[in-house]
Amino acid sequence: MKDVDMTVSMFERIGGAATVDRLVDAFYARMETLPEAKTIRALHAPDLGPVKEVLKRYLGEWLGGPKLYSAERGHPRLRQRHLGFPIGNAERDAWLLCMRGALDETVVDAAARQEIYGLLAKLADWMRNQEDNPHDARAAPR
């Protein structure tokens, strides 16, 4: 008798495409409304529809779901794709604030939510491409 692989992807664990869709919608709703996210919202086009669809495909695949992102756009090359946008500590923190709230709202499994957030925090930190100016009020904690 063959061993059956009983591993469940994070995508399946959190509820699949429906949860990823809700997560991305909640993320961008926060980006639209939180004052702390004003700077990262300004980096996006007025119509968030297309970027929402891209993030849904990316996160779905990243979490172990169907390879929709790669089939459409190839290798993610996330850092390269974001080099045209200034991403420092403030932008990383604003992005993570929106994502933390969206995860809290949409992912019921607390352990999965924490695991996803930890991995996204590492990814967001790696995406930084700007040195924060120590004289910039945004860069210094108060």
Side-chain angles (χ1 to χ4, degrees):
M1 192 174 220
K2 282 188 165 186
D3 287 337
V4 177
D5 184 4
M6 297 302 285
T7 59
V8 174
S9 70
M10 186 63 77
F11 180 80
E12 294 169 306
R13 185 172 162 193
I14 66 169
T19 300
V20 171
D21 288 353
R22 287 193 317 273
L23 172 64
V24 171
D25 290 341
F27 169 79
Y28 281 109
R30 282 169 171 72
M31 187 186 291
E32 290 270 31
T33 58
L34 292 178
E36 301 91 337
K38 186 177 180 179
T39 57
I40 61 170
R41 176 58 182 98
L43 297 174
H44 291 76
D47 178 9
L48 291 172
V51 74
K52 281 183 184 182
E53 292 307 311
V54 170
L55 186 56
K56 287 175 182 181
R57 286 181 180 93
Y58 174 78
L59 282 179
E61 184 171 328
W62 184 76
L63 291 167
K67 299 201 178 306
L68 302 175
Y69 180 92
S70 295
E72 184 178 291
R73 302 177 66 94
H75 189 281
R77 300 186 320 262
L78 288 184
R79 199 149 197 274
Q80 180 183 349
R81 291 181 193 265
H82 288 81
L83 282 176
F85 303 99
I87 303 171
N89 290 339
E91 292 77 17
R92 174 205 57 203
D93 294 348
W95 192 90
L96 286 171
L97 177 68
C98 294
M99 189 54 76
R100 167 63 87 188
L103 284 164
D104 288 347
E105 179 181 326
T106 60
V107 177
V108 177
D109 181 331
R113 187 170 59 239
Q114 198 56 30
E115 186 177 335
I116 293 167
Y117 181 81
L119 293 169
L120 287 172
K122 289 178 185 176
L123 181 60
D125 194 55
W126 179 73
M127 295 296 290
R128 289 179 305 133
N129 57 29
Q130 302 287 309
E131 291 294 323
D132 282 332
N133 179 347
H135 303 292
D136 181 349
R138 296 178 318 164
R142 298 196 181 248

